[in-house]
Amino acid sequence: QVQLVESGGGLVQPGESLRLSCAASGSSFSKNVMAWYRQAPGKQRELVATSPNGGSPHYADSVKGRFTISRDNGKNTVDLQMDSLKAEDTAVYYCKAILPFSGVTVWGQGTQVTVSS
């Protein structure tokens, strides 16, 4: 059974950077589609970035040029580098995996990111 554990959230000031990491269990990681989502208070969960199996990353328009998703298939991790953070980036960030063949979706528990002066 695949499990996802996020880390790296915290409180930063506008303009600063933060790096989130998601560690996955299981042997199929390299075949998973991995993604980061976020959910701000009172808002729906939204896609931030995806890292397809062997494909190019995709980013939400709101984070293009500021956020970078990267994966290490040898370590079963997917990271989200967040630069030039804004107050509107404040949210709980979730890691998501879409498993190969079954299409089953797995979510992490989330990590809080707060951008405030």
Side-chain angles (χ1 to χ4, degrees):
Q1 184 176 356
V2 174
Q3 290 184 320
L4 305 175
V5 178
E6 300 101 332
S7 61
L11 171 63
V12 295
Q13 294 188 344
E16 293 186 339
S17 299
L18 206 58
R19 189 177 185 90
L20 305 182
S21 186
C22 172
S25 62
S27 60
S28 66
F29 181 84
S30 64
K31 300 181 177 65
N32 297 348
V33 174
M34 301 300 298
W36 283 95
Y37 281 71
R38 67 186 181 187
Q39 187 166 18
K43 294 187 177 181
Q44 289 188 330
R45 193 171 296 190
E46 64 174 0
L47 176 66
V48 175
T50 59
S51 176
N53 173 13
S56 298
H58 168 82
Y59 298 94
D61 288 342
S62 59
V63 306
K64 278 182 182 176
R66 300 189 298 121
F67 290 13
T68 304
I69 188 171
S70 60
R71 63 192 294 165
D72 186 331
N73 289 335
K75 295 182 179 179
N76 282 17
T77 57
V78 57
D79 292 352
L80 185 68
Q81 177 66 38
M82 305 184 293
D83 298 321
S84 301
L85 282 161
K86 305 175 181 179
E88 50 264 43
D89 295 318
T90 295
V92 178
Y93 283 70
Y94 296 91
C95 180
K96 171 184 167 181
I98 302 175
L99 306 186
F101 313 117
S102 67
V104 169
T105 296
V106 180
W107 291 92
Q109 82 287 354
T111 185
Q112 176 71 47
V113 172
T114 302
V115 184
S116 175
S117 55

